[in-house]
Amino acid sequence: MSLATTIAQYRERANALWLARTEQERRFLTVGGAVVLLAVLYLLLVDPAVEGRAMLRRQLPQLRQQAAELQAMAQEAGALARAPATQIPPITREAVDTSLNSRGLKPQSLAMTGEYIKLQLNNVPFAGLANWLDEQRRANRVLVQDATVTALPTAGQVDASLTLRQNTGAAQ
């Protein structure tokens, strides 16, 4: 049985059902079908567009504010990019030793060669060491090049061997 034959059979049945109805029933069915069709079209096409438009209208002030903030940040970033890079003075052995002692960290050995700092610390609190490294990173642009940290049996205590490098911002 082909598709055309099947469609023709359904059409004949529908036509027979339609003709079996009275004129008043046909009017009711026509009006009811039109109402259902209009409702479906409204729900599928019109309502989503109206709701989307209302949602965009509600969000527009917030989006404009965000756009203004982004523009202000872009201008600030441009100004910072045009500003000359700040030069950090080279760190001295005395400054490193003083900052370590202020944190209660006693270095076993401390050697400086140019922008490199070689440091050996024994039995120091890990939290204090991490805080000191963070402070040096922020204040003096000191970065960890190489680190060996060994945990000790005492909780929170470590032995550390560090090689640090200061980025002074000078052309390399």
Side-chain angles (χ1 to χ4, degrees):
M1 192 162 25
S2 71
L3 181 63
T5 308
T6 306
I7 292 174
Q9 287 176 353
Y10 283 123
R11 179 181 268 173
E12 285 176 24
R13 287 183 194 163
N15 197 17
L17 285 172
W18 184 254
L19 293 175
R21 303 288 156 235
T22 64
E23 188 63 33
Q24 185 179 10
E25 288 177 330
R26 287 184 204 162
R27 270 190 253 129
F28 283 146
L29 288 173
T30 303
V31 171
V35 169
V36 169
L37 180 65
L38 288 175
V40 168
L41 289 176
Y42 178 81
L43 291 174
L44 291 178
L45 301 176
V46 177
D47 188 49
V50 171
E51 288 296 320
R53 186 173 176 185
M55 181 183 66
L56 289 175
R57 193 173 285 145
R58 287 189 306 267
Q59 290 178 346
L60 190 59
Q62 180 184 11
L63 293 173
R64 284 187 177 146
Q65 180 184 1
Q66 288 174 352
E69 289 172 3
L70 284 175
Q71 287 175 345
M73 285 190 260
Q75 289 174 350
E76 184 179 344
L80 289 174
R82 289 186 296 277
T86 57
Q87 296 291 326
I88 300 292
I91 194 166
T92 63
R93 179 183 173 92
E94 293 76 26
V96 172
D97 203 31
T98 302
S99 68
L100 283 168
N101 287 331
S102 71
R103 291 275 184 176
L105 304 171
K106 304 288 185 228
Q108 292 299 108
S109 65
L110 175 62
M112 294 192 62
T113 308
E115 59 189 28
Y116 290 94
I117 304 164
K118 181 85 172 142
L119 185 62
Q120 176 67 42
L121 298 162
N122 292 336
N123 197 21
V124 295
F126 180 75
L129 176 62
N131 288 337
W132 179 79
L133 286 171
D134 185 49
E135 174 187 310
Q136 293 305 307
R137 178 187 61 85
R138 292 174 191 264
N140 299 312
R141 291 189 185 164
V142 173
L143 304 172
V144 177
Q145 288 295 118
D146 185 40
T148 304
V149 180
T150 307
L152 298 176
T154 308
Q157 295 297 106
V158 295
D159 287 342
S161 175
L162 305 169
T163 301
L164 309 173
R165 179 177 167 267
Q166 183 183 28
N167 180 5
T168 57
Q172 306 268 333

